[in-house]
């Protein structure tokens, strides 16, 4: 198997990849050739051409002179070498299997990072629901990050992490951008044993979980995102789509999907709210016209800040523990919802990019963000599950919190103001489509 350390796209664009094989020879590899290399059986270690520490440098000036002198010949050799790998594989693979393999590889080339699970394993088990879900959440992460980066003009920091108990994830964060104060899009694929606290949370939702010797093996994966813009006239969006699987004492497996997309504006724009909800409704209606009204109501009830008597935002859709009519059908529904994220949000962002705002409007945005923090830390299931799971990535869990927020004692907007208008909607949800 290949042994490759992924370097972020910033590192790739700065100088490519330098691979060292078992014989101690170095080759310069483009991102495309790196992807092909990843499926080969040759063992490599990876270094970035910039960042002059490591055994290959022998002094930074020596490394640079050697690379400049040999660059053209090395690249030609790499191309020939990987052409040989491809030809050898084609001889042993049927056209159909090769097409399927290339389909997975092509998808992986568009991701922000290689998947958490080895690409070869995903290819081998491409029809398994866990493989399909991991590819979907990786694709969703990449699609959303590209759309946000295009609007903002900044790039995401790609932070790949591992969990010693099993699995890992990729956190993509854009902070202090031109448009977005903080935008995070996280993928996690984790496995292991449920903690007692996490198991109790699930049992409280009516799941009769029976573990062996007190242990419950589980596998969970999902994509989760919160986008906090700078301009108070651009709303905050949150989305999360996930798959969960638990093995019980007798070997049977419980599985379910969960997720949703919701909008939290600082100021109400009726056209924005209608566009957002209609886009989600269209995604739901592809599968069953009953889904949107049910999941819209569920969303309004779920994102309720009980101690404030108000919703976090103007809703969207939310569902959990979804396990019917079938695994394949629920997956296709989740896929449609995930594909709706960019079209339901980016047009709203572009519409308000150049809206002016006052210091008073910015002040109100900070107060509303305080409510966002309250919900996430006190009520949100995902946050509570993450904090209760051993080995969780705390930075990624708390990525949902805004960079800035504000709390004031006994603050209440004056009647008839735009601030009072949105607060009334948060206290009395309405139908938008």
């Amino acid at each position: 198997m290949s042994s490759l350390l992924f370097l972020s796209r910033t590192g790739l664009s700065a100088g490519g990849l330098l691979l060292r094989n078992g014989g101690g020879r170095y080759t310069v590899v483009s991102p495309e050739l790196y992807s092909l290399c990843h499926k080969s059986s040759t063992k490599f270690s990876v270094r970035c051409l910039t960042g002059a520490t490591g055994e290959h440098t022998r002094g930074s000036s020596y490394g640079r002179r050697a690379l400049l002198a040999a660059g053209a010949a090395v690249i030609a050799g790499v191309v020939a070498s990987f052409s040989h790998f491809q030809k050898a594989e084609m001889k042993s693979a049927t056209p159909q299997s090769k097409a399927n393999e290339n389909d997975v590889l092509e998808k992986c080339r568009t991701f922000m990072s290689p998947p958490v699970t080895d690409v070869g394993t995903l290819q081998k088990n491409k029809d398994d629901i866990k493989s399909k879900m991991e590819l979907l959440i990786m694709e969703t992460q990449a699609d959303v990050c590209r759309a946000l980066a295009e609007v903002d003009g900044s790039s995401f920091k790609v932070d790949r992490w591992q969990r010693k108990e099993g699995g890992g994830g990729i956190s993509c964060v854009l902070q202090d951008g031109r448009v977005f104060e903080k935008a995070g899009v996280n993928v996690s694929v984790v496995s292991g044993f449920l903690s007692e606290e996490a198991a109790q949370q699930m049992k409280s939702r009516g799941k009769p979980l029976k573990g062996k010797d007190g242990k419950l093996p589980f596998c969970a994966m999902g994509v989760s995102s919160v986008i906090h813009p700078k301009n108070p006239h651009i709303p905050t969006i949150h989305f999360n789509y996930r798959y969960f699987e638990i093995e019980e004492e007798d070997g049977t497996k419980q599985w379910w999907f969960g997720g949703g997309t919701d909008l939290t504006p600082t100021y109400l724009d009726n056209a924005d709210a209608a566009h957002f909800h209609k886009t989600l409704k269209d995604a739901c209606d592809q599968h069953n016209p009953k889904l949107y009204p049910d999941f819209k109501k569920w969303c309004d009830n779920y994102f309720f800040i009980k101690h404030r008597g108000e919703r976090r935002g103007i809703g969207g859709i939310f569902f959990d523990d979804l396990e019917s009519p079938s695994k394949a059908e629920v997956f296709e529904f989740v896929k449609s919802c995930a594909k709706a994220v960019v079209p339901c949000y980016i047009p709203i962002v572009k519409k308000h990019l150049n809206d002016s705002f006052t210091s008073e409007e910015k002040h109100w945005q900070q107060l509303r963000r305080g409510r966002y923090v309250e919900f996430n830390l006190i009520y949100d299931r995902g946050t509570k599950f993450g904090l209760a799971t051993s080995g969780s990535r705390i930075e990624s869990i708390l990525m949902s919190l805004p960079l800035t927020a504000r709390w004031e004692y006994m603050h209440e907007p004056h009647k008839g103001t735009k601030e009072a208008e949105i607060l009334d909607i948060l206290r009395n949800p309405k139908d938008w489509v």
Side-chain angles (χ1 to χ4, degrees), residues 88-103:
E89 289 175 352
M90 288 177 68
K91 291 178 182 179
S92 60
T94 65
Q96 183 60 45
S97 65
K98 186 65 180 177
N100 291 336
E101 179 181 287
N102 285 340
D103 182 54

Side-chain angles (χ1 to χ4, degrees), residues 192-194 199 203 209-211 214-218 246-248:
F193 296 98
L194 278 184
K203 289 177 181 178
L209 305 175
K210 296 180 180 180
K215 293 184 177 180
L216 277 167
F218 82 98
I246 291 180
E247 184 176 335
E248 296 197 83

Side-chain angles (χ1 to χ4, degrees), residues 95-158:
Q96 183 60 45
S97 65
K98 186 65 180 177
N100 291 336
E101 179 181 287
N102 285 340
D103 182 54
V104 174
L105 286 172
E106 287 302 320
K107 283 186 177 181
C108 291
R109 288 191 182 101
T110 67
F111 298 162
M112 301 297 288
S113 164
V116 176
T117 302
D118 180 75
V119 175
T121 302
L122 293 175
Q123 289 174 332
K124 182 180 179 181
N125 303 314
K126 61 182 177 61
D127 294 326
D128 182 81
I129 196 67
K130 289 185 285 189
S131 295
K132 288 183 176 181
M133 188 64 180
E134 182 168 353
L135 291 172
L136 173 62
I137 62 179
M138 292 293 300
E139 182 179 3
T140 302
Q141 181 187 54
D143 288 347
V144 173
C145 285
R146 275 194 295 269
L148 295 174
E150 181 182 355
V151 170
D152 192 278
S154 304
S155 59
F156 278 81
K157 175 183 178 180
V158 180

Side-chain angles (χ1 to χ4, degrees), residues 20 35 76 89 92 133 136 166 200 331 371 377 408 417:
R20 179 174 63 82
S35 297
E89 289 175 352
S92 60
M133 188 64 180
L136 173 62
Q200 286 301 321
F331 171 76
R371 299 291 203 267
L377 294 182
E408 287 186 8
T417 62

Side-chain angles (χ1 to χ4, degrees), residues 25-245:
R25 298 185 64 182
Y26 297 90
T27 50
V28 182
V29 178
S30 69
E32 291 76 20
L33 292 181
Y34 162 76
S35 297
L36 292 173
C37 163
H38 191 69
K39 63 177 179 174
S40 77
S41 58
T42 308
K43 195 169 187 178
F44 291 92
S45 62
V46 182
R47 299 290 186 272
C48 186
L49 297 185
T50 58
T53 58
E55 59 179 345
H56 66 284
T57 59
R58 300 184 185 177
S60 59
S61 61
Y62 171 88
R64 286 192 293 271
R65 288 196 303 271
L67 289 172
L68 288 171
V74 168
I75 292 173
V78 173
V79 173
S81 172
F82 280 93
S83 295
H84 170 74
F85 287 148
Q86 286 180 292
K87 289 175 183 177
E89 289 175 352
M90 288 177 68
K91 291 178 182 179
S92 60
T94 65
Q96 183 60 45
S97 65
K98 186 65 180 177
N100 291 336
E101 179 181 287
N102 285 340
D103 182 54
V104 174
L105 286 172
E106 287 302 320
K107 283 186 177 181
C108 291
R109 288 191 182 101
T110 67
F111 298 162
M112 301 297 288
S113 164
V116 176
T117 302
D118 180 75
V119 175
T121 302
L122 293 175
Q123 289 174 332
K124 182 180 179 181
N125 303 314
K126 61 182 177 61
D127 294 326
D128 182 81
I129 196 67
K130 289 185 285 189
S131 295
K132 288 183 176 181
M133 188 64 180
E134 182 168 353
L135 291 172
L136 173 62
I137 62 179
M138 292 293 300
E139 182 179 3
T140 302
Q141 181 187 54
D143 288 347
V144 173
C145 285
R146 275 194 295 269
L148 295 174
E150 181 182 355
V151 170
D152 192 278
S154 304
S155 59
F156 278 81
K157 175 183 178 180
V158 180
D159 182 19
R160 189 178 176 90
W161 52 272
Q162 290 184 322
R163 177 175 175 268
K164 66 178 182 178
E165 292 83 356
I170 301 104
S171 297
C172 297
V173 180
L174 188 161
Q175 195 162 281
D176 277 328
R178 182 177 65 90
V179 177
F180 304 108
E181 182 178 281
K182 189 178 182 185
V185 190
N186 293 339
V187 158
S188 62
V189 180
V190 298
S191 59
F193 296 98
L194 278 184
S195 69
E196 185 175 342
E197 183 179 353
Q200 286 301 321
Q201 286 185 32
M202 293 183 178
K203 289 177 181 178
S204 68
R205 293 177 5 224
K207 292 193 172 295
L209 305 175
K210 296 180 180 180
K212 186 176 182 180
D213 299 325
K215 293 184 177 180
L216 277 167
F218 82 98
C219 171
M221 60 187 69
V223 57
S224 181
S225 176
V226 177
I227 313 300
H228 293 292
K230 288 184 173 180
N231 192 317
H233 295 294
I234 303 177
T236 288
I237 189 175
H238 158 262
F239 71 86
N240 174 285
Y241 292 99
R242 57 194 179 272
Y243 173 75
F244 214 99
E245 193 174 277

